Amino acid sequence: MDMQGFLEIVHTRRCVRRFKTDPVPDEWIEQILEAGRWAMSGGNAQPWEFVIAKSQETRNKIFDVYHQHELHGHHMEMTRNPEFRHPIRANPPEDKPTFRDAPVIIVIVGDQRTMASSVTVAALYTDSHVFHMNMGNVTQMICLAAAARGLAAQWVSTSEMIEEPLKRALGVPDIYKIYSMVPLGYPNHRITSFRRPLGEITHREHYEMAKYRSDEQVISDIMKMPRGSPPPRVSG
């Protein structure tokens, strides 16, 4: 693949929240996991393991746990000033998450004990940012691989509130951490995206203060970004 082909994948990748129920071939899932297996990690720790949820029973367990998380998120969001509320969290959640029709959910599990493979200073601090970056790398790789296969994916972040019930629902040992889930499938809505221009975020040789954003500018830019709730499902 040339650079243009790679950039095409990068530009077309989206976090999708509505999926068709069409099944994803097992071969494709294996290819996507293979891409994740080769993600970067500090000290080549490779802390990731994957729980693949395909059966309706297992996915329902995940849905039930995540629904409680969404309810909590909705209540928290309502404490913000109205103009800052995120539309997705400001509305009461449905009885199941928006990704309820995704035929596959990859739950990414991390083992912090692998930090022993890194330098001493990182290994001593088991909550090191290195471990978080490792888990972010594998999640990103899986999302890119899905896009390369023409599939949609959603990066679903977890929290301490959702992590423990997820472990119980999936039989994950307590020593592991669950930082993200990636629902996979075919998109059931079309989505656009926005990125800041490259010239605004690139600095040559030193930080160019002319490009520094004040607090007010950051807030203004955030308010301009599309943050609408997921569009209704479309067929075809």
Side-chain angles (χ1 to χ4, degrees):
M1 176 186 295
D2 60 13
M3 178 57 73
Q4 192 57 42
F6 174 71
L7 287 176
E8 181 67 19
I9 293 173
V10 172
H11 291 162
T12 56
R13 185 212 58 78
R14 297 287 184 273
C15 283
V16 172
R17 290 181 171 83
R18 299 284 190 188
F19 295 86
K20 298 178 181 179
T21 57
D22 305 49
V24 174
D26 289 339
E27 178 186 1
W28 292 13
I29 298 173
E30 290 294 321
Q31 291 171 345
I32 290 168
L33 295 178
E34 178 67 8
R37 188 169 74 93
W38 282 90
M40 296 180 292
S41 60
N44 198 27
Q46 305 174 52
W48 42 74
E49 297 182 24
F50 312 118
V51 178
I52 311 304
K54 290 183 63 179
S55 73
Q56 191 63 61
E57 178 184 2
T58 305
R59 287 184 292 138
N60 281 343
K61 291 179 181 179
I62 294 173
F63 296 158
D64 291 343
V65 170
Y66 198 76
H67 178 61
Q68 295 302 313
H69 173 69
E70 287 187 318
L71 280 173
H72 180 74
H74 167 66
H75 296 317
M76 291 288 291
E77 195 68 17
M78 295 304 289
T79 65
R80 304 178 79 184
N81 291 334
E83 64 270 22
F84 287 103
R85 292 175 189 167
H86 196 291
I88 293 176
R89 285 289 180 261
N91 294 320
E94 303 174 9
D95 61 340
K96 289 185 179 180
T98 54
F99 57 84
R100 62 180 174 268
D101 293 324
V104 182
I105 301 175
I106 300 174
V107 181
I108 304 175
V109 177
D111 188 347
Q112 286 184 306
R113 293 173 298 181
T114 60
M115 287 299 296
S117 72
S118 192
V119 295
T120 302
V121 67
L124 287 175
Y125 297 97
T126 55
D127 198 31
S128 165
H129 68 282
V130 175
F131 180 75
H132 300 289
M133 290 190 295
N134 293 344
M135 299 306 293
N137 287 341
V138 67
T139 306
Q140 174 77 345
M141 193 73 83
I142 285 173
C143 290
L144 284 173
R149 260 299 177 191
L151 296 173
Q154 181 185 354
W155 185 319
V156 179
S157 301
T158 65
S159 65
E160 290 184 1
M161 189 187 78
I162 193 177
E163 183 184 14
E164 293 307 317
L166 261 182
K167 288 180 184 178
R168 293 194 295 271
L170 300 175
V172 175
D174 288 339
I175 199 167
Y176 292 110
K177 302 288 291 182
I178 299 178
Y179 278 98
S180 58
M181 303 185 293
V182 181
L184 290 176
Y186 299 93
N188 206 14
H189 70 93
R190 301 175 185 87
I191 187 169
T192 59
S193 188
F194 165 80
R195 293 294 185 275
R196 295 169 59 194
L198 186 60
E200 290 185 8
I201 61 175
T202 303
H203 308 267
R204 307 295 179 184
E205 309 301 337
H206 62 87
Y207 192 94
E208 300 171 32
M209 286 304 297
K211 298 178 182 180
Y212 174 78
R213 294 188 295 172
S214 66
D215 294 349
E216 292 76 15
Q217 287 173 317
V218 171
I219 294 299
S220 176
D221 287 346
I222 290 173
M223 299 306 293
K224 292 175 185 176
M225 291 182 183
R227 300 189 302 152
S229 37
R233 299 182 221 186
V234 296
S235 58

